[in-house]
Amino acid sequence: AELRVAQGSRAGWRVHTLLTAGVGNAAAAGGRWPLETPHAGTINLIVLVEGALSPSALVGAVGSATEAKVAALHRAGVRTRFGEAATGT
């Protein structure tokens, strides 16, 4: 998978993201899972924040990154091999 890099800033905060995305192992939270070993293909996301986040803000940031990943999969129409809407890999 190709590495994608994005950067942004707001209110004095800078954020950098690094992403590789393969959806060959598309899965749905609480969905069916194949018995055989799935082939390669996963989403890898690194978010770097220039600044010190409080523990609660860090938890919120992880939640926001996860929600953004699920929204991107939904917009792209990614489905599992069982036809379920993918929420991750």
Side-chain angles (χ1 to χ4, degrees), residues 1-2 19-28 33 38-44 69-70 72-82 84-89:
E2 184 178 328
L19 170 76
T20 62
V23 293
N25 282 335
W33 191 255
H39 57 287
T42 189
I43 297 169
N44 301 290
K69 175 194 69 170
V70 173
L73 289 168
H74 179 74
R75 280 193 305 273
V78 177
R79 313 291 290 181
T80 71
R81 66 179 69 185
F82 301 109
E84 303 159 316
T87 58
T89 57

Side-chain angles (χ1 to χ4, degrees), residues 5-49:
V5 178
Q7 302 176 53
S9 62
R10 180 180 238 171
W13 291 84
R14 288 190 50 78
V15 177
H16 311 270
T17 59
L18 299 100
L19 170 76
T20 62
V23 293
N25 282 335
R32 295 169 42 189
W33 191 255
L35 295 177
E36 71 276 5
T37 303
H39 57 287
T42 189
I43 297 169
N44 301 290
L45 175 64
I46 298 171
V47 179
L48 305 167
V49 178

